[in-house]
Amino acid sequence: MPPAGRVVVVGASAAGLAAAETLRREGHTGAITLIGDEPAAPYDRPPLSKEILSGAWSPDRLPLRAPADLDALDLDARYGCEAVGVNVSARTVLLADGTEVPYDGLIVATGVRPRLLPGTPAHVLRTLDDALALKDRLGPGRTLAVVGAGFLGAEAASVAAGLGTHVTLLEPAPVPLAHAVGEDVGRILAQVHLDHGVDLRAGTGVSEVVPGGVRLDDGSVVEADTVLVAVGSRPNTEWLTGSGLTLEDGLVCDEFCAAAPGVYGAGDVARWHNPLFDTSMRIEHRTNAAEQGMAAARNLLGAQRPFAPVPYFWSDQYDLKIRAYGYLRGHDEMRIAEGSLKERKFTAIYRTGDRLTGVLSIGMPPKSTLAWRQSIALRARWQDAVPTSSTGVAA
């Protein structure tokens, strides 16, 4: 790409903003167009299911940067503007209003959107408007059905219960989050919901949303004033259909985050090959979005460095702080390296094949995971990294 070429970043997200900032920091002097379908400048999303939903924060704390800092980037910012297509050969992005925006380099950071259920429209939780609309429905005397006990659903359930709402949490898997953290840790998190008065129903599928509640797979109805659907998300790639770019549960990219010459992906929408774990992954976590946005920008400018992070995520549920590093999905074994499951204060480590691939802590100080993170980054073998005193727990 020419040093003063025009870069178009589609997605006014954490990843998109990180990409734009990195371009300027690395000396790019050409035009940068930042396109976002929401009318607001980039804002932080993790607080939506925590501080915004609980009322601990007001919305004015969400913007990722102050207006003056955004102005300093000298962006051609187009908020409330939807990209509907891209012509890779002509190097143009088509907007919903018919405008064509030319580019020398393109960074796709369009994120994801919530999956929906059939039937009556229900609440979802992805945007600030979503969070504020749901917040207005919570409190003493209110009832909420949350469909999906993944991290988003679990966080929303914990906040709602803390506000005095009667919460029914419905999850099709026998143990919530077992696919991500293992059955033993999943059972601990499930019990925390029960201890806080949530009516958790694992192994319960929902077929549709109905007026006044949800219909279960067995035909019965769970009544609720409000329904929140938190059953995962879909990457926003429809606008790329017909472009010639490879789309498979995200925009498929190589280890450099490149999807095609001059086209890079970043954040929740990007499926890339992570050479550290030698697998393709798409990560929907805030830290990864910013890191990948920076990596995509640098590689667009010619750095050509593989993006090989140790993924990180955190979750706040009731009084628990959950932190994890690595790639825990599909693990073969979990062990407790420190602390106790029973006391809900522990550090768990995860094996995939012969390698240490993940660490998760609950109720422990941040430093309890840092040495394990370093071992994961160094591709440590399990038998070399794990103390013999660790408690083995089958995955």
Side-chain angles (χ1 to χ4, degrees):
M1 188 187 76
R6 180 169 188 164
V7 179
V8 173
V9 181
V10 183
S13 55
L17 177 61
E21 289 181 322
T22 302
L23 289 168
R24 291 297 187 221
R25 192 163 53 244
E26 296 293 322
H28 179 68
T29 58
I32 301 175
T33 300
L34 180 64
I35 299 168
D37 59 358
E38 290 187 66
Y43 62 87
D44 213 8
R45 295 188 190 276
L48 297 179
S49 60
K50 307 175 183 72
E51 292 87 353
I52 294 296
L53 200 59
S54 69
W57 284 17
S58 59
D60 59 10
R61 293 186 62 174
L62 286 183
L64 288 169
R65 298 292 181 270
D69 294 329
L70 290 176
D71 290 344
L73 295 174
D74 189 24
L75 302 177
D76 171 17
R78 306 191 187 188
Y79 305 134
C81 195
E82 183 183 4
V84 296
V86 62
N87 186 324
V88 173
S89 59
R91 296 204 168 198
T92 57
V93 172
L94 176 65
L95 305 183
D97 64 4
T99 303
E100 288 188 347
V101 183
Y103 68 84
D104 295 296
L106 172 64
I107 296 177
V108 176
T110 44
V112 297
R113 66 186 184 281
R115 291 178 181 269
L116 305 177
L117 287 177
T120 305
H123 287 261
V124 293
L125 192 47
R126 176 67 184 174
T127 68
L128 174 58
D129 287 345
D130 293 338
L132 294 177
L134 180 59
K135 177 180 178 294
D136 287 344
R137 303 288 299 172
L138 305 179
R142 301 293 185 91
T143 57
L144 171 69
V146 179
V147 185
F151 285 108
L152 181 64
E155 288 177 356
S158 68
V159 169
L163 293 173
T165 313
H166 177 75
V167 180
T168 302
L169 181 55
L170 304 162
E171 167 59 40
V175 179
L177 290 169
H179 67 287
V181 300
E183 290 194 0
D184 291 274
V185 176
R187 290 192 186 96
I188 293 295
L189 297 176
Q191 186 60 49
V192 174
H193 287 296
L194 297 173
D195 291 348
H196 284 83
V198 171
D199 180 7
L200 170 61
R201 305 187 192 184
T204 302
V206 175
S207 60
E208 64 175 336
V209 182
V210 297
V214 295
R215 189 182 310 281
L216 306 184
D217 287 346
D218 64 8
S220 63
V221 172
V222 173
E223 295 182 355
D225 301 331
T226 304
V227 176
L228 170 64
V229 174
V231 292
S233 57
R234 298 182 186 276
N236 289 320
T237 56
E238 287 77 8
W239 69 284
L240 299 171
T241 301
S243 66
L245 298 170
T246 303
L247 308 176
E248 186 177 334
D249 185 34
L251 173 64
V252 178
C253 304
D254 64 14
E255 63 191 273
F256 304 104
C257 305
V263 180
Y264 289 77
D268 298 1
V269 73
R271 172 170 292 282
W272 92 105
H273 183 82
N274 186 334
L276 180 62
F277 298 89
D278 192 26
T279 191
S280 174
M281 59 178 66
R282 187 172 65 80
I283 304 294
E284 295 183 19
H285 297 306
R286 171 68 175 79
T287 303
N288 185 78
E291 292 178 349
Q292 195 164 24
M294 291 187 284
R298 293 189 185 109
N299 286 337
L300 175 62
L301 294 177
Q304 286 302 285
R305 289 198 295 267
F307 181 55
V310 178
Y312 168 72
F313 73 85
W314 77 95
S315 179
D316 296 318
Q317 298 177 30
Y318 305 102
D319 56 349
L320 297 184
K321 183 74 173 186
I322 304 164
R323 299 181 179 88
Y325 287 99
Y327 195 62
L328 280 58
R329 291 176 181 269
H331 63 268
D332 298 311
E333 179 183 357
M334 183 274 283
R335 291 192 187 186
I336 301 303
E338 182 182 6
S340 163
L341 282 170
K342 183 178 180 180
E343 295 177 5
R344 299 176 186 170
K345 293 184 65 174
F346 61 87
T347 301
I349 52 177
Y350 296 80
R351 175 182 65 82
T352 304
D354 65 351
R355 283 185 54 196
L356 171 71
T357 52
V359 58
L360 177 146
S361 71
I362 292 180
M364 302 290 282
K367 65 180 181 179
S368 69
T369 59
L370 295 182
W372 293 109
R373 180 203 176 282
Q374 180 68 10
S375 294
I376 295 167
L378 294 173
R379 300 177 59 91
R381 296 173 62 202
W382 179 259
Q383 65 184 43
D384 297 333
V386 177
T388 56
S389 61
S390 299
T391 303
V393 181

